[in-house]
Amino acid sequence: MDTQNTPIHVRLWDKHFWTLAIANLLLVMSSYMLIPAIPIRLRSDGYTMPQIALVLGIFFVGMYLFGNSSAYLVQRYRRKMVFLLSTLLLLAVTAILYYLATMPNINIDYIFLVGLRFLQGSFYGLSQLVLLSTLVIDNVEAVHRTEANHAVTWFGRFALALGPIVGLTIYHSMNFGSVLLVSCCCVALSFILVSFIRFPFRLPNEDLCRFSLDRFLLKGSHWLFINTTLITIVVGLLLTIEQTPRFYGFIMLGFILALLAERFAFSNADLRSEATTGLFFMGGAVLLMLTRNQSSVTYIAPILTGFGVGIIGSRFLLFFIKLAGHCQRGTSQSTFILAWETGIGIGLVISFALLHCNRILVLWVSLTMLIISLVFYTFFVHKWYVKHKNR
């Protein structure tokens, strides 16, 4: 039986690895705390749903800007410096948004706002790609790299819940400017943490190419990319109809249960069990929200959602790693992150631009997407993956 156990090595968890993992958590939180806060502010300023959709969605488009030049940048310049400079630029753009949001009687030009969000997504994307596909991998021994990838992306997954919790709590207790200020603090802390780590100098390759798919998109992974995107579209859709910190707190609990299930329930299970179970749990959560009005649904549904998203994310990440050839681990990481974030961005845009955040419509579309994802994975993607995996 092809099983899916990921061993734990205590030696991996040294202070440098903890530092990188927490830096990733803070970096992703800086982005996700804005997702629920920005629409609330823009609605109060009189912006339309399609305009809000563009402001949210352009961020995820921006993540692709530096993708095909990221390999050149980390080889031509010190990879740590690329991360630090990108993070500083992300901090600067977020600080500009903070300044504009807190200045009284200033009408922000909409095109300028969209441009700032695009730049914010661009620098965030470059920081994420360099951190996950280069810095983390170069900081651990070769035999521990799969576990390192698995663990660090879990910290980023936690930010999917922690970011909205922090953003919504601060917005409702203070104001939108305070959310942006905390986002700036998260970026700054991520910058400081990584700056303390020393990475050995590495000579660049002789055949440097300014634009390539290396550390950007993994060739031959398109079907898995599509499947991942279809699933995370549902995550993006759900982010638009849930505006309470409690919902995301229970998602966090679902993540913790997923971690425990990975270790004890799925360690020697059939290869496809995690993905199918996760989709069933997510589908069950959506069905509960559609058909039941009991108060218990408000905590059962997010727990099921967090559980499903958690185990699917872990399984699909390992699928990407095993599709990668020699020296393509970094590329598999960036491809997974882009597929994950692309789906969330599409879900946000669909909900605001097409469904106008109508709860019933969003839930029906979510259920439809989950059914399509399950059929697509069960009858095509899994067999395709088994045939094409390299590890």
Side-chain angles (χ1 to χ4, degrees):
M1 180 184 296
D2 194 354
T3 58
Q4 45 202 341
N5 187 39
T6 303
I8 296 176
H9 299 93
V10 177
R11 289 181 58 190
L12 169 68
W13 295 87
D14 58 17
K15 63 179 181 180
H16 288 168
F17 183 75
W18 272 108
T19 300
L20 290 173
I22 294 172
N24 186 48
L25 172 69
L26 292 167
L27 183 65
V28 181
M29 277 184 64
S30 73
S31 166
Y32 277 92
M33 68 175 60
L34 300 180
I35 288 178
I38 286 176
I40 300 174
R41 173 60 185 266
L42 293 184
R43 281 178 176 176
S44 67
D45 290 343
Y47 287 94
T48 64
M49 288 293 198
Q51 287 177 319
I52 296 173
L54 180 58
V55 171
L56 291 173
I58 199 68
F59 176 92
F60 298 92
V61 176
M63 291 186 66
Y64 286 82
L65 180 63
F66 295 109
N68 61 1
S69 59
S70 59
Y72 171 80
L73 292 173
V74 298
Q75 292 186 69
R76 176 64 178 82
Y77 308 99
R78 292 181 69 91
R79 51 204 185 277
K80 175 181 170 181
M81 292 307 300
V82 175
F83 173 84
L84 294 179
L85 179 59
S86 177
T87 307
L88 272 182
L89 292 172
L90 172 61
L91 177 60
V93 174
T94 309
I96 293 172
L97 287 170
Y98 168 73
Y99 172 78
L100 295 175
T102 54
M103 288 297 294
N105 303 319
I106 288 185
N107 293 322
I108 305 174
D109 182 76
Y110 178 71
I111 300 300
F112 183 60
L113 176 61
V114 171
L116 285 176
R117 284 286 290 168
F118 178 78
L119 289 175
Q120 194 179 34
S122 302
F123 297 131
Y124 169 79
L126 181 58
S127 298
Q128 270 273 280
L129 297 188
V130 174
L131 179 62
L132 295 178
S133 67
T134 302
L135 297 184
V136 170
I137 292 174
D138 290 350
N139 189 63
V140 300
E141 298 177 20
V143 294
H144 297 159
R145 285 175 178 170
T146 297
E147 185 192 350
N149 298 144
H150 176 266
V152 170
T153 52
W154 257 114
F155 277 80
R157 209 166 292 130
F158 289 152
L160 177 62
L162 293 174
I165 289 173
V166 173
L168 288 168
T169 301
I170 293 174
Y171 189 95
H172 292 309
S173 59
M174 287 180 275
N175 53 45
F176 181 62
S178 299
V179 179
L180 287 168
L181 182 60
V182 174
S183 178
C184 288
C185 291
C186 288
V187 176
L189 285 172
S190 181
F191 173 90
I192 292 169
L193 288 172
V194 175
S195 67
F196 285 142
I197 302 176
R198 296 186 63 182
F199 294 88
F201 177 74
R202 186 174 62 188
L203 287 172
N205 295 335
E206 295 182 359
D207 54 340
L208 281 178
C209 182
R210 289 183 179 272
F211 303 102
S212 71
L213 293 181
D214 185 31
R215 299 177 192 270
F216 179 36
L217 292 174
L218 181 65
K219 291 181 180 179
S221 66
H222 48 284
W223 295 120
L224 188 58
F225 188 101
I226 293 171
N227 207 171
T228 305
T229 301
L230 288 173
I231 294 169
T232 55
I233 284 174
V234 177
V235 179
L237 288 167
L238 295 179
L239 286 173
T240 65
I241 61 172
E242 297 296 342
Q243 299 292 325
T244 62
R246 185 176 70 169
F247 178 86
Y248 297 101
F250 283 118
I251 281 186
M252 186 69 184
L253 178 57
F255 286 159
I256 295 171
L257 293 175
L259 266 175
L260 294 174
E262 275 187 343
R263 186 56 50 200
F264 300 108
F266 292 104
S267 60
N268 292 301
D270 182 74
L271 186 62
R272 75 178 72 197
S273 60
E274 276 184 297
T276 54
T277 301
L279 287 167
F280 274 116
F281 270 69
M282 290 179 69
V286 173
L287 277 173
L288 280 176
M289 289 189 280
L290 265 172
T291 61
R292 295 291 183 268
N293 295 318
Q294 291 91 336
S295 59
S296 59
V297 173
T298 61
Y299 57 85
I300 294 175
I303 290 174
L304 294 178
T305 301
F307 184 90
V309 171
I311 60 174
I312 290 172
S314 292
R315 173 45 38 199
F316 276 30
L317 169 67
L318 294 177
F319 280 171
F320 274 105
I321 292 173
K322 292 186 178 183
L323 281 174
H326 182 63
C327 294
Q328 288 186 312
R329 178 180 292 273
T331 310
S332 69
Q333 294 296 292
S334 60
T335 307
F336 170 76
I337 291 299
L338 288 171
W340 187 272
E341 300 282 5
T342 297
I344 292 175
I346 292 173
L348 294 172
V349 171
I350 290 174
S351 184
F352 279 98
L354 302 179
L355 308 177
H356 297 280
C357 296
N358 182 291
R359 184 178 181 85
I360 299 300
L361 288 177
V362 167
L363 291 174
W364 275 114
V365 172
S366 298
L367 186 60
T368 302
M369 296 300 298
L370 289 171
I371 292 171
I372 293 171
S373 300
L374 178 61
V375 172
F376 187 43
Y377 173 75
T378 303
F379 294 102
F380 177 73
V381 172
H382 183 81
K383 296 176 182 178
W384 167 85
Y385 161 75
V386 171
K387 182 179 179 181
H388 290 87
K389 66 177 182 176
N390 289 307
R391 300 168 189 260

